[in-house]
Structure formats: C-alpha cells, structure tokens
Amino acid sequence: MAPQRTVTYSIRVVTPPDVPSLARLHLRTALTAYAGIFPTEAPKPVLADTEGRWARYLSEGIGWLASEGGEVVGMAALLPGEPHGGRLEAVYVDPLRWGRGIGDALADTAEAEAVVRGWLPLHLWVLEANHRARQWYERRGWGMDPSARRTVWGSVVDLGYVLTQEGVSRWQR
C-alpha cells in the first residue's frame, strides 16, 4: 500500500497583486529546471518580462497558484488557443517541493477548466531536453504533436504536446 501524502498547500485563482510573487517563483524554478539545457551564453530571463507575461496570462485567460504557509509554491495558467482549443502555460512548482503532487493538482485544475470552457484540444510547449517534464506530461495523458517543433534559442528546441478528450478521460472515470 502506497504511503498517503499530507496535503499542506491550497490552490486558488491568481489575481493581479499575485503577479510579482508568481514571476519571482517562475524565474527561480525555470533557472533550476532548465540548468544544463540552455548554454551559458543564452540570455537570462528578466523579472519585468516574466511579470508582463503573467499580466498577459491574466488578461487573456486564467491562472492558479498553490500556496503553503502564505508562500507561493506553484502556478499554472490556461489561455484560449488559436483558432480553437486552449493552451496550458507556465506550470511551475518550487523545486524544493517537486514530487509532492502540487504540479498534478495545478494541472488537474487547469485541465478540468479547459473541459468546462470547451478548450480541448489543449496545447503546450516543453523543451525537448526537459525529459523530467516531458515524462510527467506523458504520464498525465499528453501526447507529442510531431508537427509542432520550434527553436527557442540556438540549438534549444521546444516540442508541442497536445491533450485531447481521450487523454482527459483518466480523471473523468
């Protein structure tokens, strides 16, 4: 029998005053998760740009944050897609809290909202060399879209993933 996890975090909808905290965690998490993926000469992300990205996410869609003891420990955003479906953006969890189910809870929330809004198929981008994230999404029912591939910087490549109604069925049973 698997050990039970104690849930000590809560999830709520992001509001504009949350943006600075989200942006700081987003940057810290990205720098950890992408260490060794981007070459040292690649430009580092900038806090102001990340804050602007989160402001755009909130103006175009909806975001959620996970908090623990008043501290932001995770986030996810959901946006409408072009020309249909939706996009899952910025699923990040504090690296010190990886493996505790926070990312799953955030993704479950966003995926359920995509179903309610009729935003399936749902799309996202994952760095090709980010094997940890790619395996996590694949376990969740996401499949790689062989036609969706883009260069991010130099030789760093993003791969497109898609979640269809069939992939969502894992939690609708």
Side-chain angles (χ1 to χ4, degrees):
M1 186 167 168
Q4 290 196 341
R5 272 187 205 171
T6 303
V7 175
T8 60
Y9 57 87
S10 60
I11 294 177
R12 68 169 173 80
V13 171
V14 173
T15 62
D18 299 319
V19 168
S21 296
L22 291 173
R24 285 191 301 275
L25 177 61
H26 184 142
L27 284 181
R28 190 171 73 249
T29 303
L31 290 172
T32 299
Y34 305 155
I37 294 176
F38 283 90
T40 55
E41 65 272 13
K44 300 290 183 249
V46 177
L47 183 60
D49 294 343
T50 307
E51 287 179 351
R53 180 184 298 177
W54 271 97
R56 182 177 53 82
Y57 293 161
L58 297 185
S59 71
E60 295 176 12
I62 184 171
W64 296 270
L65 65 78
S67 64
E68 185 172 51
E71 178 185 1
V72 176
V73 298
M75 68 203 74
L78 177 68
L79 292 92
E82 299 293 331
H84 62 345
R87 286 192 341 262
L88 182 60
E89 295 275 350
V91 180
Y92 289 100
V93 173
D94 182 332
L96 297 175
R97 291 168 172 91
W98 286 352
R100 293 183 45 205
I102 297 169
D104 283 318
L106 287 162
D108 287 348
T109 301
E111 291 166 6
E113 184 68 20
V115 170
V116 168
R117 292 181 183 222
W119 288 358
L120 290 179
L122 198 54
H123 302 269
L124 63 80
W125 292 99
V126 181
L127 291 172
E128 181 177 42
N130 190 347
H131 300 290
R132 184 179 206 279
R134 290 178 57 198
Q135 291 169 356
W136 182 74
Y137 284 112
E138 290 166 8
R139 278 193 309 270
R140 294 186 56 75
W142 289 77
M144 193 168 42
D145 178 352
S147 66
R149 181 181 177 91
R150 66 183 183 187
T151 299
V152 177
W153 193 90
S155 62
V156 180
V157 173
D158 253 348
L159 301 177
Y161 275 74
V162 64
L163 181 69
T164 62
Q165 184 62 51
E166 296 81 53
V168 171
S169 66
R170 72 189 182 291
W171 47 261
Q172 288 189 333
R173 292 180 189 150

